[in-house]
Amino acid sequence: LACGDVEGKFDVLFNRVQAIQKKSGNFDLLLCVGNFFGSTSDAEWEVYKTGIKKAPIQTYVLGANNQETLKYFQDADGCELAENITYLGRKGIFTGSSGLQIVYLSGTESLSELVPGYSFSLKDVSSLRTMLCSTSQFKGVDILLTSPWPKYVGNFGNSSGEVDTKKSGSALISTLVTGLKPRYHFAALEKTYYERLPYRNHIVLQENAQHATRFIALANVGNPEKKKYLYAFSIVPMKVMNAAELVKQPPDVTENPYRKFGQEASIGKQIPALEEESACQFFFDLNEKQGRKRPSTGRDSKSPHPKQPRKPPQPPGPCWFCLASPEVEKHLVVNIGTHCYLALAKGGLSDDHVLILPIGHYQSVVELSEEVVEEVEKYKATLRRFFKSRGKRCILFERNYKSHHLQLQVIPVPLSCCATDDIKDAFITQAQEQQIELLEIPEHSDIKQIAQPGAAYFYVELDTGEKLFHRIKKNFPLQFGREVLASEAILNIPDRSDWRQCQMSKEDEETLAHRFRKDFEPFDFTLDD
């Protein structure tokens, strides 16, 4: 189900959804575009936020479109707002368990240099489009969610009613749509329903046939004119569809509204390609004075023909952990290998809580290539030796759920705190309390033998090599790993279980990172002999 502006009318929406599901059977998702919150009292929201009432379906929403509602969206990366209600984030891609790809962009278009928290800029759209469209295999995405309409969407199409699409809407979204080629594009904000005739994404007789796009704008929930605000549809993910079936053209298909006479409209040229060099931003010196750092470029200084490095996998959307990405907070990076790097955790449980991250874009341990796995294991062994020398054991965990890039969390626990068996018991006990099935798996077994690529899971690795594994089927508490380690049974710092409560100034982060680099140097396997 897709829905237009909810504007705080949660009861009206969810009662309607329940009625539809009672009549037609259960739906998988409810996708909300436009203004989810309104200017009304918070009383109605409070009952959902506190769990007194619960959304009857897994609901995903876009962020704020104005200053007034910005307060509801504390985490720009997305977060759970209430049970069954999740804020997707400012921009990115959400991949369902079936392989369905949903790209989202929150907010309204900003024309000023200082972009408010409820808007997106040329840079946002540029990074989203470039990262998704950069591979030669890219064909398009299944669903695009935006709040504003794209400008010019009415060109060559059926009437859009009172909305003048040459004056209303966002030109940046038009540019984004041209590149992403979504099969469905949902928008709102104009308080009206408009289902445009499907349009083609190829030039007839000049390009191979491609799938058509359907643009659907939805009205506001509970509007007195009874304009349509809920849209039910069934979709098979593009990646599992037969190619001939995918490109089949509807009988009422029109020309692409964003092209003029077979050429892309001028709006398509607003976004400059990101510079090529950005893909190599991770080849930088952490500390020029080190001097002994192994060159990461794969070049032999004696060779007249330098060997170019193989580019790591690229992300399907903006990524805060790909080392080549401008979003990475590079001051937190403490060590760089050939395929992986170490970074201090933002809002860590302790000053030496670190992450092992692949340089290229991999979503989980299960998807890592052989050479990356090898270096991850090297980092694990090195960190165990490093922390042991400091009177600590390290616990590792990964949550492959609502995350786009592998983050292997490494948390040191003082040997004096508790034994390994106590840590294991704490995880199992707290899992049982939350109806989470944690299975013990053999010490030398590979996660790849248990979880398939794309499957959601959580696993813990103890310092003995023992592993605990949970296959996530529906919902999972995002802070579970931190909560267990922060509990009285282990680190006894329950107030630090949420990373957002542990953030510090950039200056303090830089000091901790500098100290960690210095302490870790004697163990650093990336240095020359």
Side-chain angles (χ1 to χ4, degrees):
L1 288 170
C3 177
D5 305 274
V6 181
E7 295 182 333
K9 295 179 181 175
F10 310 113
D11 286 345
V12 175
L13 169 63
F14 293 133
N15 288 342
R16 179 78 181 118
V17 168
Q18 277 182 313
I20 291 172
Q21 294 204 118
K22 194 173 181 181
K23 183 180 176 183
S24 309
N26 289 339
F27 286 79
D28 293 312
L29 301 171
L30 171 61
L31 307 169
C32 296
V33 293
N35 294 313
F36 187 67
F37 294 98
S39 53
T40 52
S41 154
D42 281 350
E44 194 170 323
W45 170 242
E46 206 59 33
V47 294
Y48 288 94
K49 188 180 176 183
T50 55
I52 296 168
K53 286 186 179 179
K54 177 183 165 185
I57 183 173
Q58 190 61 54
T59 304
Y60 291 94
V61 310
L62 292 182
N65 297 297
N66 51 58
Q67 186 66 47
E68 190 181 3
T69 57
L70 195 57
K71 62 183 179 182
Y72 296 104
F73 306 96
Q74 297 294 319
D75 192 338
D77 301 343
C79 57
E80 197 169 76
L81 299 175
E83 189 175 356
N84 269 3
I85 303 174
T86 302
Y87 163 45
L88 285 164
R90 287 193 66 174
K91 62 180 187 223
I93 183 164
F94 172 81
T95 306
S97 56
S98 63
L100 189 76
Q101 283 196 322
I102 302 170
V103 176
Y104 53 89
L105 179 66
S106 291
T108 53
E109 180 176 332
S110 172
L111 301 174
S112 62
E113 285 185 26
L114 289 171
V115 182
Y118 54 85
S119 293
F120 57 84
S121 65
L122 174 63
K123 185 182 174 185
D124 291 320
V125 172
S126 177
S127 64
L128 195 52
R129 177 173 166 166
T130 305
M131 288 180 187
L132 278 158
C133 308
S134 57
T135 63
S136 56
Q137 294 83 25
F138 180 78
K139 293 177 182 174
V141 299
D142 292 307
I143 298 169
L144 173 64
L145 305 177
T146 66
S147 286
W149 292 27
K151 203 169 187 179
Y152 310 112
V153 69
N155 286 356
F156 311 120
N158 47 317
S159 169
S160 53
E162 294 175 9
V163 180
D164 185 346
T165 60
K166 288 183 172 64
K167 293 177 181 175
S168 302
S170 163
L172 285 179
I173 289 179
S174 305
T175 311
L176 183 64
V177 176
T178 306
L180 296 192
K181 302 173 187 173
R183 292 164 66 201
Y184 281 88
H185 177 190
F186 294 99
L189 297 185
E190 299 290 348
K191 299 190 183 300
T192 192
Y193 170 69
Y194 172 50
E195 183 170 1
R196 190 202 184 280
L197 291 172
Y199 62 82
R200 62 176 70 94
N201 283 297
H202 63 279
I203 302 171
V204 179
L205 302 179
Q206 291 183 40
E207 296 173 333
N208 290 334
Q210 295 178 42
H211 59 271
T213 293
R214 288 171 167 82
F215 172 75
I216 295 120
L218 293 158
N220 47 315
V221 170
N223 65 84
E225 298 87 2
K226 300 198 180 303
K227 293 177 182 176
K228 190 170 181 175
Y229 63 83
L230 268 177
Y231 184 92
F233 66 112
S234 180
I235 183 170
V236 175
M238 181 186 286
K239 64 187 292 184
V240 298
M241 277 188 78
N242 171 278
E245 193 64 33
L246 177 65
V247 301
K248 195 179 282 184
Q249 302 295 296
D252 52 354
V253 70
T254 77
E255 182 52 78
N256 190 304
Y258 314 114
R259 285 205 181 99
K260 289 182 181 176
F261 312 110
Q263 298 295 318
E264 276 196 31
S266 58
I267 49 168
K269 296 171 185 173
Q270 285 191 6
I271 293 187
L274 293 185
E275 292 180 22
E276 268 296 310
E277 63 189 43
S278 66
C280 298
Q281 283 177 359
F282 53 85
F283 299 114
F284 67 97
D285 289 330
L286 282 172
N287 184 350
E288 291 178 12
K289 293 178 183 175
Q290 277 184 304
R292 298 186 292 136
K293 197 76 175 172
R294 185 181 65 204
S296 323
T297 55
R299 297 174 180 172
D300 182 343
S301 57
K302 296 176 184 175
S303 169
H305 303 291
K307 185 183 175 185
Q308 293 301 313
R310 186 172 64 179
K311 286 186 180 181
Q314 297 300 302
C319 181
W320 279 262
F321 298 102
C322 282
L323 203 46
S325 168
E327 276 94 355
V328 169
E329 296 195 52
K330 292 191 168 66
H331 67 283
L332 293 171
V333 177
V334 291
N335 190 267
I336 302 177
T338 307
H339 306 289
C340 304
Y341 72 100
L342 282 186
L344 280 186
K346 194 166 186 70
L349 275 169
S350 60
D351 290 350
D352 44 8
H353 174 174
V354 292
L355 309 176
I356 302 174
L357 305 120
I359 286 171
H361 190 78
Y362 296 92
Q363 186 169 330
S364 68
V365 163
V366 175
E367 296 174 11
L368 295 179
S369 61
E370 196 176 324
E371 65 270 22
V372 183
V373 169
E374 196 177 308
E375 193 163 274
V376 165
E377 291 303 321
K378 216 181 235 187
Y379 266 120
K380 283 189 272 206
T382 304
L383 285 166
R384 283 192 185 105
R385 286 199 310 275
F386 168 66
F387 286 123
K388 189 177 180 181
S389 74
R390 306 173 81 78
K392 301 176 182 182
R393 58 169 55 87
C394 61
I395 308 301
L396 297 92
F397 71 81
E398 179 201 359
R399 185 198 77 230
N400 182 33
Y401 172 71
K402 293 190 180 176
S403 60
H404 304 301
H405 189 114
L406 165 62
Q407 303 157 55
L408 195 53
Q409 309 272 344
V410 184
I411 296 95
V413 177
L415 294 171
S416 57
C417 263
C418 50
T420 302
D421 282 345
D422 296 328
I423 296 172
K424 182 178 172 181
D425 289 346
F427 269 101
I428 291 170
T429 303
Q430 291 201 40
Q432 287 172 344
E433 287 172 3
Q434 299 187 49
Q435 279 94 47
I436 294 168
E437 186 184 19
L438 264 187
L439 303 171
E440 288 188 54
I441 59 176
E443 186 179 327
H444 299 293
S445 62
D446 191 339
I447 295 293
K448 290 186 179 186
Q449 297 168 327
I450 302 163
Q452 297 297 314
Y457 64 83
F458 171 85
Y459 95 94
V460 188
E461 188 172 332
L462 305 170
D463 58 319
T464 55
E466 293 173 275
K467 298 183 183 84
L468 302 172
F469 178 87
H470 170 65
R471 192 186 307 279
I472 299 171
K473 292 170 185 169
K474 198 174 179 186
N475 294 324
F476 186 78
L478 299 183
Q479 307 291 347
F480 178 70
R482 284 183 68 113
E483 284 169 0
V484 176
L485 289 165
S487 67
E488 290 180 14
I490 306 176
L491 291 171
N492 195 18
I493 45 171
D495 56 322
R496 295 184 70 84
S497 60
D498 187 337
W499 70 272
R500 286 165 294 195
Q501 306 302 319
C502 308
Q503 292 187 77
M504 55 180 69
S505 68
K506 185 177 179 182
E507 189 178 4
D508 287 342
E509 288 175 338
E510 286 172 340
T511 301
L512 288 181
H514 176 74
R515 188 193 306 157
F516 188 94
R517 288 184 204 116
K518 192 177 176 184
D519 293 342
F520 186 70
E521 191 171 345
F523 297 83
D524 187 356
F525 65 83
T526 69
L527 297 176
D528 290 333
D529 294 331

